[in-house]
Amino acid sequence: MTRSKFGAWVIPVLFLLLAIVPFVANAIGEPFYVTFFARVLVYALAASALNVVLGFAGLVSFGHALFIGLGCYAVGILGFYDVTSGWAQLGVCVLVCAAVALVIGSVCLRTSGIGFIMITLAFAQMFYFLMVSMTTFGGMTA
């Protein structure tokens, strides 16, 4: 079997199996599997983002996980204020990440080499300390 024929049916079957996980987990009374596969998909998304940045663009970034954390915090803060609509959370998450990416990208993409690596690390650390210092949402004070 050639590789193209193999991928032609394996990918749709894999997506179908992932799509029925919540229904099967609900039927057998095991919500653990929904949480487990949600985490698997989040990590797969992070790995895919790193593959695009490093593999296709050739840019070594130490700050690509900033946007996953930013999206998590956007959803978490909305949940803290009782915004429970998944569509509203998704919209805010995309808008916040896009706005931050526009600002950070306009600075980072002007550099190259070790400068690009260090500026992405610097932005990631700035946002890390910003989020950790938010005492309202469980951060620590100095």
Side-chain angles (χ1 to χ4, degrees):
M1 181 176 289
T2 64
R3 185 178 182 123
S4 62
K5 289 181 182 179
F6 178 76
W9 66 270
V10 169
I11 301 295
V13 168
L14 181 64
F15 280 126
L16 181 65
L17 289 174
L18 287 172
I20 63 171
V21 164
F23 302 109
V24 172
N26 189 28
I28 63 175
E30 289 290 336
F32 164 78
Y33 292 113
V34 176
T35 305
F36 175 73
F37 279 104
R39 286 185 184 193
V40 167
L41 291 175
V42 167
Y43 289 137
L45 178 67
S48 298
L50 183 60
N51 183 38
V52 168
V53 172
L54 183 61
F56 294 118
L59 299 170
V60 178
S61 170
F62 287 149
H64 69 281
L66 159 73
F67 298 102
I68 292 174
L70 192 61
C72 292
Y73 269 98
V75 170
I77 290 171
L78 286 174
F80 182 81
Y81 289 110
D82 293 327
V83 178
T84 57
S85 169
W87 293 110
Q89 290 174 344
L90 177 65
V92 170
C93 176
V94 169
L95 289 175
V96 166
C97 288
V100 171
L102 181 67
V103 172
I104 291 176
S106 66
V107 174
C108 290
L109 291 176
R110 295 174 188 258
T111 63
S112 63
I114 193 74
F116 180 80
I117 294 169
M118 296 312 290
I119 196 80
T120 58
L121 178 62
F123 275 114
Q125 289 301 301
M126 283 191 291
F127 273 88
Y128 168 76
F129 286 111
L130 173 69
M131 296 304 165
V132 168
S133 67
M134 297 173 74
T135 57
T136 306
F137 308 111
M140 295 182 238
T141 58

